[in-house]
Structure formats: structure tokens, C-alpha cells
């Protein structure tokens, strides 16, 4: 995320009056890009990952592990390191592959939390299979560089959330009192957020637009000794500093839920994102649609978030918590009051699974779209008048139902059509699980699609594995012209399902039965054309006719294992076997293939339960800890040992020693890797 120049950020009441202005200019900028870039062709097949870190302070002798709020100093140290401006030599990858001699140095970015960092490769990865092998060493290099620019007791770790963020007492270094004017949180200080004016304004204006604090309520995990009904013991009902302190007295903190009240509880979570560049807009729109149904599957498969605010939660992933942490909808938009001042009821937060498909693919049936999609009809008309097609205009007219949250006064003086700032203002605060990224104003890069649901993994081996897997999936989709369409509302349902404890093994997800033919696969599956039987030669007749038959026959409930590894009946091939058929059909050298096999093996085992997700491992770690009292409480002591183990895993990985013998169930997380 690039941070724009500072200016005068408007407080909500004033920002609200400028919302139409920003939207109108945003649409003009969008049409400008659209008209310039819709004909762009033959852009390179580039891609890049984003890894987010928490920065913690840890030392063996200190009983507490804390979040370090030194993001700005660490970024300054990185930026001021002259050696880093040059190219760097990454370490060899574990498979023994020799990376290219030099890379551009990785790029470090600020994030919402003042305890967070983000790192991306120095330049996007190319199409060559060999480059897939550079991802893991590069991720390790990023972590090593980050660590080198920290204090000796600071560590970059890739847990999605800090287990005791917002717990009573001290959890940051330095410590600040809670209940500041921006967040007005009972649990976290304003200083928890990046001090760049954009971030506190974002948090304050979301709260202000909403008319109360955000309510991030997560069901608590009920263990043997958990009092029931459970009342969050950390909630203070006696605070009277701000009008928002009434929230908890008005029912914001229901029984049996861990109650959190600030953006930092969501946007302070770390994830793994992948951005792909398509060769042209048509391919980009297709990738967006085809990857959408995979979002919830990958969310469940990467589950890593079982603890909030010092309590075990009954959910395994971060998604809905972020969704609630930035939910700026008013009572009218939420449907709690009749519509008077607001324009429409809005069923989802601005951070949510995406709500529509955007491709003009003939396989996209009307029935897959949501008839209740909320759009701004005037904006849609402007886009249509500007030459955009109906489907894409619908997508943007949906994103543009939202208000811009952070507006800088200086930006409203002249409309600059050589920029995309107003468009990006709305676009970049629609945090959906896929993002369709148009080229920037100077048009020097292509149409991109971002895959955003995955949780960050503890090791770079895992982060590389999931990144590479998604890249291979995109190649398989394009090469075999796969069809993953299901009704978009089923994708929403799957997203909810992915939150359940151990959803990866215990739940079923709606998934398309037949990825090859447009017809329902009941019966013989005639007309199917799977690479299992056909290898790479299936491409010739893979373009299916327009679908017919009841939509409901096209999909069914499947386990993640079936989706990833295929079903026992042999009706559904499974994504990994498809990737393998694809790899068989193209020229990949043996060394590369071996390394890719390691990644696919990790994913196969996570899906079939041979290995645990990070969420499961963390749960078992807590349950097995001598200091845990089976009451859902994750104490300082348990937290310290958990983070200590995560640091130890990281040190092992950095030394290239493998993960054997680490104890505490690490072998169930990382097996023989
Ligand atoms: P954001 O935070 O807005 O998603 P970032 O700049 O943090 O954007 O990350 C974008 C990712 O996209 C990085 O991994 C980067 O390497 C990658 N990337 C940059 N340019 C391209 C491109 N032309 N095609 C594909 N990926 C790209
Ligand atoms: Mg980023
Ligand atoms: Mg980020
Ligand atoms: Mg991103």
C-alpha cells in the first residue's frame, strides 16, 4: 500500500458532505483508465506476493512477550540502509536450487498496525517455472533483512494475530493508556495504529459514520472449565470518557462472545495476498471470476487464527473479525432502522467476500449472480454512457455504493485525470476477497487480479507453498479452461463455513461438480474431458457450450479434501491432481518438479488431515500447555511460550535445518519438511 502525501484529512461530518464529489471524480478517473487500457494486450504474466508480519519483543528471561510499536523506526532503518538499495543475493532454497545471482532488494511497506510490517519481492515474479523456486528464498531473505533492522529482542513473526492484543495490562512496548480520542477503545490505545494521518482518520471516521464503535464479537471456545454463560471478564461497564463508552451498556458485548471494539482487532491481522497480471482485461476478468469460488477453500485450508484478546475462540480464521472491525454501516444501512437519511440497506461490510462476477464468459449464467446486489444506478449509467459494458459497470457501481472514508481537502481542488486517487479511494477501501486492479494512470502495467483470503502461515516454506500453489492453479485454469462457477451467494455461504473450528476437516463447501463441461455431471459425466485421461491434449475442445439444465445440479457439498485431492469415486479430479496433470503437460525440469512436489505435498496433507492447520496447532499447543486451565484463557505464560515456539521454528527455518524434534506438536504442523 502506498501512502499518499500528507494533507488535511477531513473529520467525518465534513468528509460526508464531499462523498459525492469524490465518487463523481473517481468515476471520471475510472473511465479514463478504462478507455485507455481496455485495449491493452499481451501484458506479461507477472505475479507477486505480499507477506505481513507482527513485530514482537521476546527474550527468554522476560516473562512477557509484547508487540513492538517501532514500525516507523524499523522502516526508517530499512530505508536508510544503503546496501539494501542495491541488489541482494538470496540464500539457496532448501531443494538445493541455485537462485539467480542477484535480485532487486525486497520492498517493505507500512501497515495499519504500528506493530506490523509488510514485505513484497523487489520486482514481480515472471512466468518462468524456475522463478517459482525463488519465492521461498526471497521470503526468507525478507524476514532476515527485517530482523537485521530490528533490535536484538525484536522478531518479525507471521502469526495472523497477536494472541493477547487488547488484554488487560501491558501488551505493547512502549505501553500507552487505552481510551484515546481516535479509537475510543476500552482495550487498545490509539498508539496501536500507524500514526500516519490516514490510519487514525480511517478508524475515527468509520466509528463516526457508524454512530458507535465497531463491534467485533467472536464466539468464545467453550472448554471444560469455561464458565457458562460466559461473560467477557475484560469488558469495563463503568467507563465514562466518551459517548461510545455507552456501547457496552447498550448490549454491544453479548454473553459467550469475546468482545472487541476497535479497527486494530481486525486490520491488525496478517495475511498472505497474491496479485496476478493478466495478458489483457478479458483474461483478468476471467481470473477474477474463476478464483472467487476458491477463496473460502483456501481460507479454511490456511486457517491460523484461534485466539483473540487472550481467549480461545470458537472460530479458526480472521476474516469476519476484520469485516466487523471496519464495518462503517449505519443503523439504517444495517436494517435496524427504517431508511431515512441513507440511500440503501447494505447486506455486507465493506470488508467481505465479493458479491458479483465480472466476466463476459458465456459460461457465466444469470443464475450465478445475486439478484439482490446493491448498486448505485446513477453511477452505473455514467459508466455505461462512458462505454463500459453492463457487467463491469455493475461491479464498479456496487463498489461505489460506499462512501470514501478518508478525504484530504487539498485533493478536491482540481480534477486530475492523469491520476487515479479518487477512484482508488473507493476501490482500496472495498476490501473484498478478490480485487480487480485496473492499470495505474500511466498504464505501464496491466490488468491485475488480487487473491486476498489466505491467512499468513508461520513459516516461509508454507507461505511459498500456498503462493506457488495459487500460481499453478491460475495456469491450470487458463490452460484447461476450467469452470469453477457456482452461484455467488454460495461463495458467501462457504466463506461463513470456513470460519468454523477445523472447517478444513469437519465441514463441507459448495463446489462445482464438473470443471470441464458446462453440463451437470450427474450420471456418466459424458462430455467431460479431464486431463486425468486426456493429459495436456484436452485443450482443443475445452471451450464448452453455454450451460443448460438446473443450476442446482451443477454443484454439491464437498470436503476440502475432496476439492483439493479428488473424491474417492473418481468423479471429481481434485485441484492437486489437476496441477500435476498440468505439470505433466508442460516442460518442467526435474529439480523444479521436485521442489514443486514439496509444496503440493504440504497442501495435500493439510487438506487430508495428515498435517494440522496453524489454527489447530495453536489450539493443541494451548490445550497441552501446563499453564492452561481448560477455561479458554490464554495467559501471559502460554502466550509467551507459544510465541517463543514460533520464533524457534523461524530460527530453525532460517538456518535451513528442517523442523524435526521441535516438540509441542510441531511435527503435526510441518511433518517431515
Ligand atoms: P497492494 O497492497 O495494493 O495489494 P502491493 O504493492 O503491496 O499492493 O503488492 C502488490 C503485489 O503485486 C506485490 O507482490 C508486487 O510484486 C506485485 N506486482 C507489482 N506489479 C505487478 C504486475 N505488473 N503484475 C503482477 N503483480 C505485480
Ligand atoms: Mg500491500
Ligand atoms: Mg497489506
Ligand atoms: Mg494487497
Amino acid at each position: 500500500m502506498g501512502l499518499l502525501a500528507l494533507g488535511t484529512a477531513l473529520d467525518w461530518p465534513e468528509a460526508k458532505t464531499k462523498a459525492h464529489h469524490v465518487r463523481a471524480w473517481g468515476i471520471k478517473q475510472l473511465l479514463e483508465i478504462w478507455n485507455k487500457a481496455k485495449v491493452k494486450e499481451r501484458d506479461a504474466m507477472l505475479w507477486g506476493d505480499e507477506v505481513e508480519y507482527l513485530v514482537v519483543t521476546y527474550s527468554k528471561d522476560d516473562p512477557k512477550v509484547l508487540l513492538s510499536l517501532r514500525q516507523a523506526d524499523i522502516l526508517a532503518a530499512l530505508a536508510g540502509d544503503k546496501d539494501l538499495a542495491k541488489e541482494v543475493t538470496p540464500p539457496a532454497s532448501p531443494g538445493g536450487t541455485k537462485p539467480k545471482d542477484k535480485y532487486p532488494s525486497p520492498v517493505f511497506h507500512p501497515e495499519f498496525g504500528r506493530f506490523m510490517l509488510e514485505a513484497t519481492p523487489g520486482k514481480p515474479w515472471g512466468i518462468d517455472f524456475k522463478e517459482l523456486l525463488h519465492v521461498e528464498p526471497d521470503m526468507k531473505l525478507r524476514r532476515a533483512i527485517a530482523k537485521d533492522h530490528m533490535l536484538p529482542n525484536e522478531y518479525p513473526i507471521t502469526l495472523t494475530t497477536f494472541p493477547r492484543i487488547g488484554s488487560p495490562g501491558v501488551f505493547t512496548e512502549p505501553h500507552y493508556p487505552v481510551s484515546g480520542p481516535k479509537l475510543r477503545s476500552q482495550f487498545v490505545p490509539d498508539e496501536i495504529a500507524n500514526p500516519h494521518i490516514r490510519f487514525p482518520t480511517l478508524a475515527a471516521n468509520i466509528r463516526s459514520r457508524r454512530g458507535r464503535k465497531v463491534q467485533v464479537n467472536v464466539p468464545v471456545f467453550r472448554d471444560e472449565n469455561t464458565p457458562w454463560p460466559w461473560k467477557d471478564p475484560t469488558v469495563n461497564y463503568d467507563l465514562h470518557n466518551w459517548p461510545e463508552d455507552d456501547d457496552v451498556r447498550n448490549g454491544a458485548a453479548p454473553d459467550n462472545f469475546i468482545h472487541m471494539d476497535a479497527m486494530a482487532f481486525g486490520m491488525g491481522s496478517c495475511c498472505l495476498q497474491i496479485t496476478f497480471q493478466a495478458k489483457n482485461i478479458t483474461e483478468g476478468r476471467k481470473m477474477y471470476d474463476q478464483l472467487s469460488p476458491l477463496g473460502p477453500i483456501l481460507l479454511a485450508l490456511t486457517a491460523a487464527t484461534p485466539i483473540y484478546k487472550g481467549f480461545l475462540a470458537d472460530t479458526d480464521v480472521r476474516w469476519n473479525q476484520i469485516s466487523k472491525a471496519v464495518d462503517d454501516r449505519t443503523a439504517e444501512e444495517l436494517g435496524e432502522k427504517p431508511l431515512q437519511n441513507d440511500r440503501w440497506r447494505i447486506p455486507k461490510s465493506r470488508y467481505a467476500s465479493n458479491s458479483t462476477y465480472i466476466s463476459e464468459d458465456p459460461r457465466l449464467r444469470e443464475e450465478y449472480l445475486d439478484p439482490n446486489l446493491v448498486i448505485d444506478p446513477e453511477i452505473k449509467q455514467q459508466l455505461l454512457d462512458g462505454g463500459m459494458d453492463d457487467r463491469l459497470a455493475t461491479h464498479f457501481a456496487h463498489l461505489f455504493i460506499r462512501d470514501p472514508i478518508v478525504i484530504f481537502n487539498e485533493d478536491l481542488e482540481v480534477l486530475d485525470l492523469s491520476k487515479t486517487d479518487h477512484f482508488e479511494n473507493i476501490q482500496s477501501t472495498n476490501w473484498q476477497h478478490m480485487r480487480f486492479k485496473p492499470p495505474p494512470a500511466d498504464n505501464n502495467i496491466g490488468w491485475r487480479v488480487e487473491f486476498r483470503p489466505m491467512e499468513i502461515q508461520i513459516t516461509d516454506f508454507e507461505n511459498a507453498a500456498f503462493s506457488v500453489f495459487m500460481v499453478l492453479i491460475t495456469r491450470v485454469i487458463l490452460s484447461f479452461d476450467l469452470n469453477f462457477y457456482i452461484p455467488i451467494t454460495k461463495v458467501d455461504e462457504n466463506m461463513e463455513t470456513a470460519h468454523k473450528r477445523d472447517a478444513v476437516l469437519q465441514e463441507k463447501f459448495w463446489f462445482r461438480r464438473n470443471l470441464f463441461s458446462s453440463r451437470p455431471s450427474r450420471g456418466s459425466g459424458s462430455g467431460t474431458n479431464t486431463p486425468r485421461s486426456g493429459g495436456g491434449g484436452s485443450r482443443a475442445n475445452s471451450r464448452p457450450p453455454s450451460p443448460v439444465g438446473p443450476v442446482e445440479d451443477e454443484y454439491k457439498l464437498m470436503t476440502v479434501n475432496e476439492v483439493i485431492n479428488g473424491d474417492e469415486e473418481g468423479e471429481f479430479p481434485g485441484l492437486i491432481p489437476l496441477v500435476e496433470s498440468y505439470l505433466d503437460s508442460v516442460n518442467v525440469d526435474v529439480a523444479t518438479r521436485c521442489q514443486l512436489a514439496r509444496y503440493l505435498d504440504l497442501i495435500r496433507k493439510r487438506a487430508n488431515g495428515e498435517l494440522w492447520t496453524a489454527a489447530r496447532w495453536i489450539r493443541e499447543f494451548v490445550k497441552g500447555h501446563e499453564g492452561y486451565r481448560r477455561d479458554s484463557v490464554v495467559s501471559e505464560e502460554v502466550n509467551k511460550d507459544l510465541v517463543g515456539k514460533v520464533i524457534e521454528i523461524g530460527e530453525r527455518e532460517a538456518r535451513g535445518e528442517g523442523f524435526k524434534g521441535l516438540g509441542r506438536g510441531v511435527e503435526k504442523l510441518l511433518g517431515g519438511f
Side-chain angles (χ1 to χ4, degrees):
M1 181 197 320
L3 287 186
L4 303 173
L6 282 168
T8 317
L10 302 178
D11 285 340
W12 182 246
E14 210 190 338
K16 185 179 163 72
T17 65
K18 313 281 190 200
H20 276 307
H21 186 156
V22 171
R23 272 191 295 265
W25 283 9
I27 286 299
K28 291 208 167 82
Q29 289 177 334
L30 171 60
L31 279 171
E32 187 76 9
I33 318 169
W34 157 259
N35 279 311
K36 251 197 303 191
K38 66 185 174 193
V39 292
K40 263 172 90 57
E41 278 293 342
R42 289 191 294 280
D43 280 316
M45 211 163 150
L46 303 174
W47 71 280
D49 61 273
E50 296 167 70
V51 173
E52 293 174 341
Y53 310 85
L54 303 174
V55 183
V56 296
T57 64
Y58 173 92
S59 71
K60 282 218 159 56
D61 315 320
D62 196 330
K64 271 176 185 263
V65 50
L66 302 172
L67 283 171
S68 164
L69 301 185
R70 290 198 331 110
Q71 178 191 76
D73 305 288
I74 296 165
L75 284 171
L78 286 160
D81 185 339
K82 295 274 179 311
D83 291 337
L84 278 186
K86 292 184 241 127
E87 295 185 311
V88 289
T89 310
S93 67
T97 352
K98 263 219 159 102
K100 276 184 295 188
D101 280 340
K102 297 275 184 188
Y103 284 77
S105 179
V107 186
F108 292 89
H109 314 254
E111 255 299 337
F112 176 85
R114 202 184 287 196
F115 50 83
M116 294 170 82
L117 279 183
E118 181 183 296
T120 55
K123 71 172 179 40
W125 307 109
I127 188 171
D128 193 334
F129 282 104
K130 286 212 169 69
E131 292 205 24
L132 296 178
L133 305 192
H134 299 151
V135 178
E136 186 180 342
D138 192 72
M139 285 178 174
K140 288 183 182 164
L141 177 68
R142 286 178 232 170
R143 198 182 290 260
I145 292 175
K147 173 76 184 117
D148 280 351
H149 294 80
M150 293 178 183
L151 300 175
N153 70 335
E154 283 173 331
Y155 295 85
I157 61 166
T158 41
L159 286 178
T160 52
T161 49
F162 184 68
R164 284 184 59 88
I165 184 174
S167 300
V170 179
F171 57 90
T172 60
E173 168 63 44
H175 171 70
Y176 294 96
V178 300
S179 198
K182 291 290 182 189
L183 302 185
R184 305 191 181 180
S185 168
Q186 290 202 347
F187 309 110
V188 291
D190 280 1
E191 288 81 0
I192 199 101
N194 183 326
H196 186 289
I197 187 67
R198 187 186 133 76
F199 297 98
T201 309
L202 192 58
N205 286 2
I206 283 175
R207 175 177 49 66
S208 182
R209 186 181 191 285
R210 192 179 146 81
R212 52 194 155 167
K213 285 188 287 184
V214 292
Q215 288 174 15
V216 187
N217 290 331
V218 190
V220 72
F221 169 70
R222 184 177 184 180
D223 209 339
E224 281 164 25
N225 301 329
T226 309
W228 211 258
W230 186 80
K231 293 185 191 299
D232 186 335
T234 65
V235 173
N236 181 347
Y237 290 90
D238 300 323
L239 265 188
H240 290 277
N241 294 344
W242 306 105
E244 288 81 356
D245 290 328
D246 283 337
D247 289 356
V248 289
R249 292 184 282 274
N250 293 332
D255 284 358
N256 304 334
F257 286 85
I258 307 161
H259 174 63
M260 294 165 280
D261 64 352
M263 188 163 163
F265 286 107
M267 282 296 180
S269 318
C270 299
C271 68
L272 173 66
Q273 296 174 335
I274 316 286
T275 296
F276 304 98
Q277 177 166 289
K279 70 171 190 271
N280 55 30
I281 187 172
T282 309
E283 188 181 273
R285 292 169 69 168
K286 178 180 187 170
M287 291 313 306
Y288 178 97
D289 281 11
Q290 294 305 327
L291 291 174
S292 288
L294 296 179
I297 308 293
L298 269 296
L299 179 60
L301 201 50
T302 55
T305 319
I307 304 174
Y308 281 96
K309 216 181 65 170
F311 301 107
L312 281 173
D314 207 29
T315 54
D316 261 7
V317 298
R318 77 201 188 287
W319 189 265
N320 278 348
Q321 278 64 262
I322 311 183
S323 177
K324 292 176 197 146
V326 292
D327 190 353
D328 68 338
R329 288 174 298 168
T330 64
E332 292 182 22
E333 287 167 342
L334 285 163
E336 295 171 2
K337 282 187 189 167
L339 279 178
Q340 268 178 335
N341 303 308
D342 291 315
R343 297 184 291 170
W344 29 63
R345 294 250 163 98
I346 306 181
K348 290 189 205 169
S349 163
R350 53 199 299 154
Y351 189 112
S353 49
N354 48 309
S355 295
T356 192
Y357 291 119
I358 63 173
S359 172
E360 290 186 301
D361 191 326
R363 300 172 302 180
L364 168 48
R365 299 176 65 167
E366 221 27 60
E367 295 96 318
Y368 305 151
L369 299 169
D370 179 1
N372 300 317
L373 183 75
V374 185
I375 60 157
D376 183 329
E378 278 171 35
I379 284 189
K380 181 167 170 183
Q381 194 55 50
Q382 284 166 31
L383 291 171
L384 294 173
D385 293 344
M388 194 179 282
D389 58 275
D390 192 275
R391 202 156 272 159
L392 201 57
T394 302
H395 166 71
F396 287 115
H398 168 64
L399 300 189
F400 272 67
I401 61 174
R402 310 287 174 174
D403 280 340
I405 299 292
V406 182
I407 301 176
F408 291 99
N409 217 8
E410 291 76 1
D411 295 340
L412 299 178
E413 285 157 18
V414 229
L415 171 60
D416 186 348
L417 286 177
S418 71
K419 286 166 67 182
T420 54
D421 52 339
H422 300 294
F423 165 69
E424 285 294 341
N425 192 335
I426 307 280
Q427 155 101 342
S428 70
T429 51
N430 266 279
W431 296 280
Q432 302 193 334
H433 83 277
M434 302 292 309
R435 183 175 285 162
F436 187 54
K437 295 175 167 174
D442 64 11
N443 222 0
N444 62 348
I445 56 182
W447 294 89
R448 287 148 304 147
V449 169
E450 186 181 21
F451 186 73
R452 304 162 49 82
M454 292 193 284
E455 306 237 301
I456 200 74
Q457 305 293 290
I458 292 172
T459 65
D460 289 322
F461 162 60
E462 297 161 279
N463 288 315
F466 279 100
S467 304
V468 166
F469 176 63
M470 286 313 299
V471 174
L472 292 173
I473 286 290
T474 61
R475 311 249 167 115
V476 172
I477 289 172
L478 294 176
S479 178
F480 296 147
D481 206 15
L482 298 185
N483 176 4
F484 286 104
Y485 278 125
I486 56 173
I488 195 78
T489 52
K490 292 287 175 210
V491 179
D492 290 340
E493 236 180 85
N494 284 348
M495 213 68 179
E496 290 305 312
T497 306
H499 284 72
K500 300 209 175 137
R501 201 157 27 88
D502 221 14
V504 65
L505 301 181
Q506 306 299 332
E507 300 296 326
K508 290 192 168 188
F509 295 80
W510 297 112
F511 211 77
R512 191 173 178 87
R513 292 156 174 260
N514 189 341
L515 307 178
F516 299 93
S517 157
S518 53
R519 295 201 185 82
S521 65
R522 270 195 310 193
S524 69
S526 60
T528 58
N529 187 6
T530 73
R532 253 189 185 174
S533 54
S538 64
R539 259 170 269 182
N541 55 352
S542 62
R543 169 63 76 185
S546 285
V548 290
V551 168
E552 296 71 32
D553 290 351
E554 293 180 4
Y555 53 86
K556 66 171 184 175
L557 286 168
M558 296 190 203
T559 61
V560 170
N561 188 31
E562 285 168 337
V563 171
I564 296 292
N565 292 318
D567 62 11
E568 281 182 2
E569 300 77 38
E571 279 175 14
F572 185 82
L575 300 184
I576 295 228
L578 284 170
V579 167
E580 278 170 344
S581 309
Y582 167 72
L583 290 172
D584 289 342
S585 75
V586 288
N587 230 342
V588 189
D589 65 70
V590 176
T592 306
R593 187 72 193 256
C594 283
Q595 186 65 11
L596 296 182
R598 253 177 99 234
Y599 295 149
L600 296 180
D601 205 34
L602 174 80
I603 289 162
R604 177 184 297 119
K605 289 177 174 163
R606 286 275 162 85
N608 70 17
E610 264 182 71
L611 293 181
W612 290 344
T613 60
R616 174 85 187 272
W617 176 70
I618 293 169
R619 278 181 198 288
E620 301 288 343
F621 184 101
V622 172
K623 285 185 196 169
H625 195 285
E626 46 289 357
Y628 177 63
R629 300 201 189 91
R630 303 215 155 262
D631 55 359
S632 316
V633 175
V634 181
S635 63
E636 295 282 9
E637 182 198 1
V638 176
N639 187 38
K640 183 189 166 181
D641 289 346
L642 173 62
V643 172
K645 188 54 78 181
V646 167
I647 290 172
E648 202 185 336
I649 293 172
E651 288 178 335
R652 272 292 186 85
E653 183 173 37
R655 292 196 301 267
E657 290 176 357
F659 307 110
K660 289 193 184 113
L662 278 167
R664 296 271 195 195
V666 174
E667 63 284 358
K668 285 300 287 180
L669 178 73
L670 290 160
F673 291 106

